[in-house]
Amino acid sequence: METDQGSRHMLPFQLQFDKPLASQVKMAEWNPEKDLLAMVTEDSKVVLHRFNWQRLWTISPGKCITSLCWRPDGKVVVLGLEDGTVSLHDVENGKLLRSLKSHAAAVVCLNWEEDAQVNRDTSGNSLAFEDRTTRFFPPAPRVPRMPGLVSGETGLIDDGQDSFIELSNSSKQCFNILCSGDKDGVLCFSIFGVFPIGNVNIHECDIPMTTKDRDTVCRLLNASVRKVALSKDLCHLMVACSGELVEDIVESRGCQTVGDSMHGFHYLVLDTSIFQKSKNELHQVAQQASNIDDLLHVVRTSLSVMHKQWADAMNIFHEKFDLLTSLINDHGLDSSPQEEFLSLLGGARTSPAVHQFLVNSLGEVGMKRVSKVVCGAGKELQLVVLNHLQQPAVEIIGFRIGELRGLSRWRSRYLGIGLDETLVDNAVEKAGMLLVQVERFIRVVSSVVQQFANFFSWLLKCIKQLMSEPSDQLLTYNSELVVVFLKFLYDQDPVMQLLDLSEADEEIDIDLETMERVKELVQFGGFGDSKCLRRTLAKEFQLMEHSFKEAAQMPFSTISIKICCKNLLPLFPLTSVSASTRYIPISLSFYEDASEFASSNLTQEVGFTDYISFQIPDESFLDFANCIAVVRGFMNDSSNVKQGRPLEAILLCIPSGYHCVDLALYKELQIVMLLNKINDTGENLGDAWMMILQASDLPFVHISGTTQANNWELYHLKDSILHLDMENEKIRSIPHNVVPPLSVSASRGVACVLAARKQALIYILDEYEEESLIRNDCLFKSLQWLYSSCCCGWASNTSSCRHQCEKQCMWVF
């Protein structure tokens, strides 16, 4: 245990590691369930470390990373990118699991929250949503691999990996919501992180405001989201944002404003209670829809893979056989390749062009190569259809959309979340039509491959005869099929016509008899599309995908409308544009409230109070400087019932000579702060301090939660500022100049502090956590020694614990 020099007092916050960094870190987040730390470097690489600083993997998305968070179970790390993409990565290896383009601007904040309450029915019984698909179908297919590429080159999931399937198996997950916010003020919500369920633009939120003579509404202009946090019951979303608050009196929602605007930093609470009220319905819809979306990706990729395979085979075929056309022209013949082959089939004398082509240009070796490529591609197409497209994917899509159809008919429950029966019925019909198209495609491919093989067998026999070689051992051929091939397949490609998206709008010729039979089936019932056979497979898939997305868009739109603004609290003014974009230390969290306010709330099983802590820029208020603000209870104060802890706040003044670098809300109502020591000119002196405050012991002051024009509530607390005393607080000196971000783990009781000289310092914040972490490190060292004698190659130089605690090591063994 570390002790202070010259004394016997133990230093708080045990220093565990002091490690150099290859590059400076701009984001860091601890895993909520494991001793893992994810860090994002300045060059936008993601590095995952264990607590003992063992590096597990490093990935580079190729784009600037602007935000980072974890899934609540710690199995997925989420990245927000500058182009508006949200990508999900497997914690085991960093593999890309899913990528969603939810935003049009940089994603600057992420929050993934799990419902703390158990799903129950109207009788109070626990609900478990069964996925019935496994009763009737094999496991969902994996995405086929693009031909010619090795594993990992396309970002597709390897055959031996189950991470993507685990992520997609939503029925085994608790109901959870991923919220993402961008710099343009748009907030997006996704169930399980993969199914978009709503969004809201804070510029369009009606915010209640009280003026001198009336109550009105106001709007936020030029707003940018900084931090978001969903409540534990998913009923509220707390948003910290910057923007210009103006009164909105124009019915057309124009840009005209009245009175003075309030440009600054604001605390916004949104009503997201629809997630809690309809979580059972949303859970079941998201379970089916997210799996359908995964299968659509399988179908889309399967079509692309088959298109490439067949296009490559046809390119080789035409590359060889187009030489015959050139030879015919060179010999001055007025005929086509098909006519020359038909003459050869009829027993006529071989023309010089055909003889030269078969014997010299193509040859036996070339003929076998072309036959192997084309017939091999045909068999690969059939395998992709059977293993990925038909029964595994398309049939499961039809079954799952049928499940949604059953839910949509329960109008009393599912119409309220926007599940439209008519749109779902249309998607069911399109899924059935796609299955018909897939079955037709199988028959077309089988017929085409058979005729190609028959044509190649005949040509190979002709080559043998022209070269006066024996041809008795060759496969027999059908002359009639050769004629059919030369007339309908030699210069036409029905397989590519069904697969090529560029030909998706072209209609396929269908004989009148077949069309009449289709019309009779339409009259019989079951479907109403009589032109389905005139469409290609690619076009049918586009229509089915569009119909499904249209049906899924209705819940998205319905939920988006039901998310509204409840209240806004102006925090502090921003005096310049640069102040709006600079880094401001801020932290949002929810704590279980055990006070008398929570016990009076009879409507909730567990009471939670929202806390926000932030640094106030010195130029915001002239009457005080170097202050930290803590606000709590705004969520309860904004409730219509107004139960729970009232809105309270306090200003904390940092001692002179110190500057707050970053802060984080910690467990048990604690606040962790990083302070750099500065001189009179504001320059860093090279060392810093880490401090922990107990927020529950602070003398909070009640403030008004009503938004009023030109009124900053925190300014009225200037006469009740609490001045912090470094000697009376729990602090520790750090012999480095520190930089943001500060990353703390409430579940593990540790903190990662970053030094300006590219160093990472890991501190144990709780004394009782130290023994547990040391024990875990001993276990890792012991296992490392045990594995050193195995064939896995995990070598260790020593078997002893670096803490020299023999008793603990014996307990490990």
Side-chain angles (χ1 to χ4, degrees):
M1 180 72 68
E2 290 180 292
T3 58
D4 196 0
Q5 293 182 359
S7 71
R8 295 183 179 180
H9 295 289
M10 293 184 183
L11 289 176
F13 320 137
Q14 175 72 20
L15 176 63
Q16 190 73 3
F17 294 109
D18 185 350
K19 298 291 185 180
L21 298 171
S23 59
Q24 196 62 52
V25 173
K26 62 179 181 180
M27 280 171 272
E29 289 288 343
W30 288 97
N31 188 297
E33 295 294 331
K34 304 175 183 178
D35 294 328
L36 300 174
L37 177 64
M39 297 184 295
V40 179
T41 61
E42 289 290 347
D43 54 354
S44 288
K45 292 181 179 179
V46 185
V47 184
L48 187 69
H49 282 275
R50 292 188 185 273
F51 178 77
N52 60 6
W53 215 246
Q54 177 195 8
R55 179 181 295 189
L56 297 181
W57 48 257
T58 301
I59 60 173
S60 179
K63 300 174 184 176
C64 180
I65 302 174
T66 51
S67 54
L68 170 73
C69 85
W70 288 93
R71 196 168 75 176
D73 61 3
K75 296 181 179 180
V76 176
V77 61
V78 190
L79 305 178
L81 305 182
E82 189 176 31
D83 65 347
T85 301
V86 176
S87 60
L88 281 61
H89 297 261
D90 186 4
V91 67
E92 296 295 334
N93 49 27
K95 188 75 175 181
L96 177 64
L97 300 174
R98 177 64 71 85
S99 182
L100 299 175
K101 189 68 167 64
S102 305
H103 298 266
V107 181
V108 295
C109 56
L110 294 163
N111 177 242
W112 203 332
E113 192 62 47
E114 187 173 84
D115 181 26
Q117 301 180 11
V118 179
N119 287 335
R120 300 186 183 278
D121 57 17
T122 55
S123 302
N125 300 318
S126 178
L127 286 177
F129 302 114
E130 179 190 6
D131 187 359
R132 303 191 303 166
T133 310
T134 55
R135 292 186 181 184
F136 310 103
F137 297 96
R142 294 180 173 88
V143 177
R145 188 176 300 165
M146 189 68 71
L149 296 178
V150 297
S151 174
E153 291 183 351
T154 62
L156 302 177
I157 300 301
D158 295 338
D159 291 337
Q161 293 180 340
D162 295 326
S163 303
F164 185 76
I165 298 176
E166 187 276 332
L167 176 72
S168 303
N169 194 7
S170 306
S171 61
K172 296 183 179 179
Q173 301 179 18
C174 295
F175 186 71
N176 54 70
I177 300 287
L178 172 63
C179 177
S180 55
D182 63 34
K183 67 176 184 179
D184 288 345
V186 177
L187 301 167
C188 296
F189 305 89
S190 301
I191 300 178
F192 310 128
V194 297
F195 179 64
I197 195 57
N199 68 2
V200 60
N201 190 334
I202 60 176
H203 296 94
E204 300 174 357
C205 291
D206 292 330
I207 302 169
M209 172 183 278
T210 301
T211 60
K212 295 180 180 180
D213 54 351
R214 69 185 190 280
D215 292 336
T216 183
V217 295
C218 55
R219 289 290 182 100
L220 275 172
L221 300 181
N222 304 316
S224 178
V225 179
R226 296 296 188 92
K227 287 276 188 178
V228 293
L230 274 166
S231 60
K232 301 297 182 180
D233 58 2
L234 307 181
C235 289
H236 299 89
L237 176 70
M238 316 308 295
V239 183
C241 60
S242 60
E244 185 178 3
L245 188 65
V246 297
E247 184 181 357
D248 181 17
I249 64 171
V250 182
E251 295 183 359
S252 62
R253 306 300 187 190
C255 297
Q256 301 180 18
T257 60
V258 174
D260 296 330
S261 63
M262 299 176 66
H263 180 259
F265 211 83
H266 309 285
Y267 191 29
L268 190 67
V269 55
L270 299 180
D271 181 5
T272 58
S273 57
I274 184 63
F275 294 140
Q276 183 61 230
K277 295 175 182 177
S278 304
K279 67 177 181 180
N280 294 337
E281 293 79 10
L282 292 173
H283 188 116
Q284 295 183 74
V285 171
Q287 171 182 306
Q288 300 296 343
S290 60
N291 280 280
I292 292 172
D293 198 48
D294 296 338
L295 293 170
L296 289 176
H297 177 61
V298 173
V299 175
R300 189 183 308 109
T301 307
S302 298
L303 294 176
S304 299
V305 169
M306 291 191 298
H307 181 277
K308 178 175 174 54
Q309 288 179 322
W310 190 251
D312 291 344
M314 288 298 98
N315 287 336
I316 294 177
F317 173 78
H318 291 296
E319 180 183 351
K320 289 293 185 181
F321 281 80
D322 285 349
L323 295 176
L324 178 57
T325 304
S326 301
L327 291 174
I328 292 175
N329 295 330
D330 293 342
H331 286 80
L333 300 177
D334 186 16
S335 61
S336 64
Q338 295 95 314
E339 294 173 344
E340 292 293 332
F341 282 134
L342 286 173
S343 299
L344 181 61
L345 180 64
R349 182 180 178 183
T350 306
S351 66
V354 173
H355 188 281
Q356 182 179 353
F357 170 73
L358 295 178
V359 176
N360 300 329
S361 301
L362 184 61
E364 181 181 355
V365 176
M367 183 68 260
K368 290 182 178 179
R369 178 176 177 270
V370 175
S371 176
K372 181 179 179 181
V373 169
V374 175
C375 296
K379 293 179 180 178
E380 288 294 328
L381 263 60
Q382 292 174 325
L383 289 176
V384 171
V385 171
L386 294 176
N387 296 332
H388 300 277
L389 188 62
Q390 184 187 23
Q391 184 176 11
V394 177
E395 290 186 3
I396 298 178
I397 288 175
F399 179 83
R400 290 193 178 277
I401 296 182
E403 294 279 85
L404 287 178
R405 184 183 188 182
L407 297 178
S408 67
R409 294 189 173 184
W410 196 347
R411 299 182 184 89
S412 61
R413 289 186 58 182
Y414 290 90
L415 188 60
I417 63 170
L419 193 61
D420 186 86
E421 183 179 354
T422 302
L423 295 177
V424 176
D425 285 345
N426 183 49
V428 170
E429 179 175 330
K430 291 297 186 290
M433 293 298 100
L434 179 61
L435 184 58
V436 172
Q437 292 283 5
V438 171
E439 292 178 350
R440 179 174 70 167
F441 178 76
I442 292 178
R443 292 195 296 270
V444 170
V445 171
S446 178
S447 175
V448 169
V449 171
Q450 180 184 3
Q451 294 190 51
F452 263 108
N454 183 76
F455 174 70
F456 292 146
S457 297
W458 171 69
L459 274 188
L460 187 58
K461 188 167 185 177
C462 292
I463 293 174
K464 288 281 191 180
Q465 291 176 349
L466 291 175
M467 299 178 66
S468 300
E469 295 182 0
S471 58
D472 298 336
Q473 301 298 325
L474 297 178
L475 296 176
T476 59
Y477 63 90
N478 188 318
S479 301
E480 294 181 357
L481 290 181
V482 174
V483 175
V484 172
F485 176 86
L486 293 174
K487 287 187 175 182
F488 300 104
L489 294 179
Y490 185 85
D491 55 356
Q492 300 180 30
D493 194 347
V495 175
M496 187 58 67
Q497 185 182 20
L498 294 175
L499 292 175
D500 198 349
L501 290 176
S502 63
E503 300 179 2
D505 295 330
E506 296 184 5
E507 291 189 350
I508 300 176
D509 294 332
I510 304 295
D511 59 273
L512 294 178
E513 182 181 356
T514 303
M515 289 300 301
E516 290 298 327
R517 293 179 61 186
V518 171
K519 291 179 181 179
E520 292 176 0
L521 291 175
V522 170
Q523 294 177 357
F524 180 76
F527 69 101
D529 189 357
S530 61
K531 297 183 179 180
C532 57
L533 295 181
R534 293 187 179 275
R535 292 191 293 268
T536 65
L537 175 61
K539 180 62 176 180
E540 198 67 60
F541 172 72
Q542 286 183 335
L543 290 177
M544 193 277 289
E545 185 177 28
H546 174 75
S547 63
F548 167 72
K549 292 187 179 299
E550 187 179 19
Q553 184 65 28
M554 282 301 296
F556 182 92
S557 303
T558 303
I559 298 299
S560 298
I561 294 174
K562 295 185 178 183
I563 299 174
C564 60
C565 175
K566 297 181 66 173
N567 207 349
L568 179 141
L569 178 65
L571 297 179
F572 56 83
L574 295 172
T575 58
S576 63
V577 177
S578 60
S580 303
T581 57
R582 77 181 185 185
Y583 180 79
I584 297 177
I586 182 171
S587 182
L588 277 170
S589 188
F590 292 87
Y591 295 105
E592 186 176 344
D593 196 345
S595 65
E596 68 276 7
F597 301 104
S599 61
S600 65
N601 186 0
L602 302 179
T603 61
Q604 296 180 352
E605 296 180 0
V606 179
F608 289 92
T609 299
D610 59 296
Y611 278 73
I612 178 173
S613 180
F614 53 90
Q615 180 189 36
I616 300 178
D618 292 345
E619 63 271 15
S620 294
F621 300 115
L622 299 179
D623 295 342
F624 55 87
N626 204 20
C627 281
I628 299 295
V630 184
V631 180
R632 69 181 181 184
F634 187 51
M635 176 183 67
N636 298 327
D637 191 83
S638 303
S639 173
N640 294 330
V641 183
K642 292 199 180 275
Q643 292 181 331
R645 184 182 293 278
L647 178 60
E648 298 174 318
I650 189 173
L651 295 181
L652 307 174
C653 183
I654 304 297
S656 178
Y658 295 91
H659 171 71
C660 180
V661 175
D662 205 355
L663 54 83
L665 289 166
Y666 187 49
K667 62 182 179 181
E668 298 177 354
L669 300 176
Q670 294 177 326
I671 305 174
V672 183
M673 291 190 293
L674 282 181
L675 308 175
N676 266 339
K677 195 171 183 180
I678 58 175
N679 57 20
D680 296 337
T681 61
E683 297 178 352
N684 295 322
L685 298 180
D687 56 352
W689 294 84
M690 182 162 58
M691 175 191 299
I692 282 189
L693 297 177
Q694 189 65 42
S696 57
D697 297 337
L698 299 176
F700 283 89
V701 178
H702 176 71
I703 62 175
S704 173
T706 303
T707 304
Q708 300 180 7
N710 300 316
N711 180 45
W712 303 94
E713 282 290 333
L714 296 182
Y715 178 75
H716 302 301
L717 301 179
K718 61 181 180 178
D719 297 329
S720 57
I721 296 177
L722 178 63
H723 293 268
L724 298 178
D725 187 356
M726 300 287 285
E727 296 182 357
N728 296 329
E729 304 296 343
K730 186 177 180 181
I731 62 173
R732 160 149 191 163
S733 64
I734 300 174
H736 299 281
N737 177 31
V738 297
V739 294
L742 167 67
S743 178
V744 298
S745 171
S747 61
R748 299 301 177 186
V750 295
C752 177
V753 178
L754 301 173
R757 295 184 177 180
K758 297 182 181 180
Q759 285 181 287
L761 299 91
I762 306 297
Y763 289 94
I764 301 176
L765 300 182
D766 298 333
E767 288 81 358
Y768 70 87
E769 291 282 353
E770 180 182 354
E771 181 179 355
S772 174
L773 290 169
I774 291 176
R775 186 181 300 273
N776 290 339
D777 191 60
C778 294
L779 175 60
F780 175 81
K781 290 292 184 180
S782 301
L783 291 176
Q784 189 176 20
W785 173 73
L786 289 175
Y787 285 139
S788 63
S789 60
C790 298
C791 61
C792 65
W794 188 8
S796 175
N797 295 328
T798 177
S799 62
S800 62
C801 171
R802 68 176 184 85
H803 297 284
Q804 303 299 322
C805 46
E806 297 179 358
K807 183 177 180 180
Q808 292 183 2
C809 287
M810 290 176 62
W811 176 84
V812 169
F813 281 104

